[in-house]
Amino acid sequence: MSKRDPKIVMSPLSCKFTADGMTIDVEIYQLEGAVGWVLELAEADGSSTVWEELFPTDQAAWEEFEQGVREIGLIALLDADEDEDGPPTLH
């Protein structure tokens, strides 16, 4: 990595999450100095689901994830991008 490459800032809200019989990594991050947070759900097989929209805060990204799990379940949330152009916007 060169000195000009931006650093990735991981949110303290990033964690392992287990539901519906599976465990994933919830990754909430942004490029250092950037505006907006990325929400990514990473599965053990290396696949991931990334929201196209950026969130104004890491807390907003976490709340979007929690709402999705509550409303449609983790498995459906991970499979949402196969049915549409990306994970559903739930807010």
Side-chain angles (χ1 to χ4, degrees), residues 31-46:
L31 294 179
E32 187 174 57
V35 175
W37 291 84
V38 175
L39 172 59
E40 180 174 355
L41 307 181
E43 297 179 61
D45 66 3

Side-chain angles (χ1 to χ4, degrees), residues 1-85:
M1 176 171 19
S2 76
K3 291 183 181 182
R4 294 189 315 212
D5 289 340
K7 293 181 182 176
I8 294 176
V9 178
M10 296 298 294
S11 166
L13 298 174
S14 297
C15 63
K16 289 200 177 297
F17 183 87
T18 302
D20 298 339
M22 65 185 312
T23 300
I24 61 158
D25 289 315
V26 179
E27 298 177 350
I28 301 171
Y29 57 88
Q30 71 178 166
L31 294 179
E32 187 174 57
V35 175
W37 291 84
V38 175
L39 172 59
E40 180 174 355
L41 307 181
E43 297 179 61
D45 66 3
S47 63
S48 66
T49 302
V50 180
W51 272 245
E52 290 184 16
E53 70 177 289
L54 295 178
F55 296 90
T57 64
D58 58 344
Q59 183 66 42
W62 175 257
E63 289 170 2
E64 176 82 4
F65 166 71
E66 280 190 315
Q67 182 179 358
V69 171
R70 241 186 349 265
E71 291 184 4
I72 65 174
L74 182 58
I75 293 172
L77 195 60
L78 293 169
D79 290 339
D81 62 333
E82 294 176 10
D83 299 328
E84 302 174 8
D85 291 333

